Amino acid sequence: MPKFFVHPDQINNGQIILSGDSAHHLVNVQRVRLNEKLLVGDGVVFDYRCFVAEIFLKPPSVLLKIICREKNKTEPQAKVTLYQSLLKGSSMDTAVQKCAEGGVHAIVPVVSARVEAPPPDKNKLARLNRISESAAGQSMRGIVPRIHPAVTFYEAINNSHEIFLAAYENAEDPTVSGKLNAVRNIKDIGLMVGPEGGFSDDEAKIIKDFAVTLGPRVLRAETAGLYALAQIFCMLGE
């Protein structure tokens, strides 16, 4: 069963009350039973091993009793913020889901020149954050990667990070490992991925100093971020 997340304020006196989407999933989909054991994270530091003490049907909610608390050990030390150019259809959902599983710290949708999808409105952004939370629970993450409101290409590249990388299909050098090999103890990385049509010529000129190649194969826009994350964490030993 996947892990669930709550706000730290929901943890009181050795118990946790799950409500909303999490409770609906447990009660109506998973058909949770009394005394069943669950793992709950506070989204910050700690995981809580619990058992189901009470189940309420209308509206669905679940009272959990805490068995023990332990510090989460699944989070990478390096925080990678993915600047993902907006993708059409369900491709953005896929990018969010897989990168949340892969260890990304946060995702910022980007409106770059060749983007064809509209910026996510409040409802779409909330849905993307729910996808991130579900993926984080499935992969036993310590945090839920936040999906931020969309920014422009120029706003994205002006954000401050210890190092900034842009996955560019026409870059021949350096590789991700070559770029990261020049630094030590890196903790904060910005990573940009273009849309289905790639970066425009003007954008390519702007990112040339931090463009990296992901290899000889051309990747889909929704999988390039995960591929880059894997290379980053492999290089950093995480």
Side-chain angles (χ1 to χ4, degrees), residues 44-180:
V44 183
V45 178
F46 293 108
D47 290 338
Y48 296 82
R49 298 194 179 276
C50 312
F51 70 89
V52 177
E54 293 186 63
I55 301 170
F56 306 96
L57 299 180
K58 293 183 179 180
S61 62
V62 179
L63 175 65
L64 305 176
K65 295 289 187 178
I66 296 172
I67 300 171
C68 65
R69 184 183 77 168
E70 53 196 34
K71 191 171 182 179
N72 180 270
K73 298 178 181 179
T74 67
E75 286 303 304
Q77 293 185 10
K79 295 179 179 179
V80 181
T81 299
L82 172 64
Y83 295 88
Q84 173 67 62
S85 294
L86 284 161
L87 306 174
K88 295 183 294 183
S90 63
S91 294
M92 195 69 184
D93 297 359
T94 300
V96 166
Q97 180 188 56
K98 298 309 177 186
C99 288
E101 292 175 9
V104 76
H105 182 73
I107 299 175
V108 182
V110 176
V111 183
S112 53
R114 293 177 177 167
V115 159
E116 297 181 11
D121 60 17
K122 182 179 179 180
N123 291 334
K124 172 71 171 179
L125 201 60
R127 192 169 73 82
L128 290 174
N129 275 288
R130 289 195 296 272
I131 290 171
S132 178
E133 180 174 346
S134 177
Q138 186 276 327
S139 55
M140 300 299 166
R141 293 286 305 273
I143 67 162
V144 176
R146 182 185 171 194
I147 317 304
H148 292 263
V151 301
T152 67
F153 172 84
Y154 298 98
E155 288 172 328
I157 62 172
N158 284 317
N159 277 325
S160 178
H161 295 278
E162 289 181 59
I163 189 170
F164 200 98
L165 309 174
Y168 182 43
E169 67 273 13
N170 292 327
E172 296 181 0
D173 195 64
T175 61
V176 170
S177 60
K179 197 78 169 179
L180 295 182

Side-chain angles (χ1 to χ4, degrees), residues 6-46:
V6 296
H7 191 277
D9 290 346
Q10 293 175 254
I11 305 169
N12 292 295
N13 300 319
Q15 63 184 35
I16 300 170
I17 296 179
L18 288 179
S19 57
D21 290 341
S22 295
H24 170 77
H25 183 80
L26 275 173
V27 174
N28 297 317
V29 180
Q30 293 288 349
R31 305 291 184 183
V32 70
R33 297 182 178 182
L34 289 174
N35 297 316
E36 192 167 343
K37 293 180 180 177
L38 298 176
L39 182 64
V40 177
D42 64 9
V44 183
V45 178
F46 293 108

